[in-house]
Amino acid sequence: MKKIIVCALVAFVSYTATAQGIFNKINKAIKKDSTTTSGGGLLGAIKNGGSSGTSGAGLSNADIVSGLKDALRVATDSTTKSLSAVGGYLKNEAIKIVMPAEAVKVEKTLRGIGAGALVDKAILSMNTAAENAAGDVGGIFLTAIKQMTVTDGINILRGGDHAATDFLKRTTTATLTEKMRPVIESSLKKVNADKYWNDAFSKYNLFAQQKVNTDLTAYVTGKALEGMFYKISLEETKIRKDPAAQVTDILKKVFGGK
């Protein structure tokens, strides 16, 4: 069985070659709302059409949500630029695309017999495909952000550390998949990775209890999106908790108390 698995994987691998400091103020405002009856704080400004003695004072709901949209725009722009750079996925251990869990034992066997370079080439091809696809999706995030309603914005402000990421995931995953899949497919086909993945793991799945997805493009696309939203969630957490600069005029206006 192990020999069949190793041969199958060898058949595949041998052919593969700022925005910061915004939500900290929001969280403080939310906490203030929960301890007062006057409707103060940022949520009070939202509820009352923009009358509050804290950040966001005198601003309308539209102004406040505009600031939130700008924060998300900067966060997603930073994410897509970093992931589309050479090594954007490959050099980030948290999101690097590796062999599926079902094939880890086979990978170890290959490395143990001196075939690690083949595995590395396979992993390189998958991560390069993801990086190629990440650079052209900023417009999808921008469209979703533009379509955000006041209700969406308020729910995000009231939500947890990843509420904005959850909003983007809910509203963009289908479109992102449609956009990224053909780019990833084209990149993998250049080294015949998709063909040999299918051939290798179709045979592997005949004997394995845990099946491997024979659609390499789908596997890489799913992992690429998973990594992208993970990176955005980190940006969101930083934005919520780090009291650093607001980088655009609307962010300063809404969240800087100016």
Side-chain angles (χ1 to χ4, degrees):
M1 175 62 182
K2 181 180 287 187
K3 184 176 180 181
I4 292 173
I5 296 171
V6 171
C7 291
L9 190 55
V10 168
F12 164 59
V13 298
S14 62
Y15 285 93
T16 58
T18 337
Q20 297 179 337
I22 299 159
F23 287 108
N24 186 52
K25 295 178 181 292
I26 294 171
N27 289 335
K28 289 180 180 178
I30 292 173
K31 289 178 182 178
K32 184 174 181 179
D33 274 355
S34 66
T35 59
T36 64
T37 59
S38 62
L42 186 54
L43 287 183
I46 294 173
K47 295 171 184 175
N48 300 322
S51 58
S52 169
T54 62
S55 293
L59 295 173
S60 66
N61 291 357
D63 284 332
I64 294 168
V65 174
S66 178
L68 175 59
K69 288 181 178 182
D70 213 36
L72 291 175
R73 179 190 62 77
V74 174
T76 54
D77 183 62
S78 173
T79 295
T80 54
K81 284 182 178 178
S82 66
L83 292 184
S84 62
V86 175
Y89 279 90
L90 186 66
K91 295 181 180 180
N92 187 330
E93 290 300 322
I95 61 173
K96 178 181 178 181
I97 302 173
V98 298
M99 291 295 183
E102 298 86 346
V104 169
K105 290 183 180 180
V106 182
E107 179 181 345
K108 289 181 179 179
T109 300
L110 288 170
R111 292 190 185 279
I113 62 175
L118 297 177
V119 177
D120 291 338
K121 287 181 180 179
I123 292 173
L124 174 63
S125 71
M126 292 189 290
N127 285 274
T128 299
E131 290 156 11
N132 289 343
D136 197 30
V137 298
I140 294 173
F141 287 124
L142 185 59
T143 296
I145 292 166
K146 286 181 177 179
Q147 293 175 349
M148 182 192 297
T149 66
V150 171
T151 299
D152 291 330
I154 293 173
N155 288 337
I156 290 172
L157 296 183
R158 289 172 170 168
D161 285 351
H162 300 155
T165 303
D166 292 340
F167 166 80
L168 290 175
K169 188 182 297 186
R170 184 176 68 253
T171 56
T172 65
T173 293
T175 308
L176 285 170
T177 301
E178 184 179 357
K179 181 78 171 180
M180 294 175 71
R181 182 182 171 95
V183 179
I184 289 173
E185 183 175 26
S186 176
S187 182
L188 293 171
K189 280 184 176 180
K190 288 180 180 179
V191 292
N192 287 329
D194 58 331
K195 177 183 185 302
Y196 294 105
W197 177 279
N198 180 72
D199 290 349
F201 285 106
S202 290
K203 295 176 182 177
Y204 170 85
N205 286 342
L206 292 175
F207 303 94
Q209 291 183 339
Q210 288 185 300
K211 310 299 183 183
V212 174
N213 186 351
T214 56
D215 187 344
L216 177 61
T217 300
Y219 172 74
V220 175
T221 302
K223 288 297 182 181
L225 285 171
E226 183 180 310
M228 182 172 291
F229 284 120
Y230 172 78
K231 190 77 164 57
I232 292 173
S233 74
L234 294 183
E235 290 292 320
E236 180 180 359
T237 299
K238 182 170 64 176
I239 289 169
R240 286 182 182 272
K241 296 182 177 180
D242 190 341
Q246 292 89 33
V247 297
T248 67
D249 289 341
I250 187 63
L251 295 184
K252 293 174 183 176
K253 178 181 179 184
V254 174
F255 300 104
K258 296 180 180 180

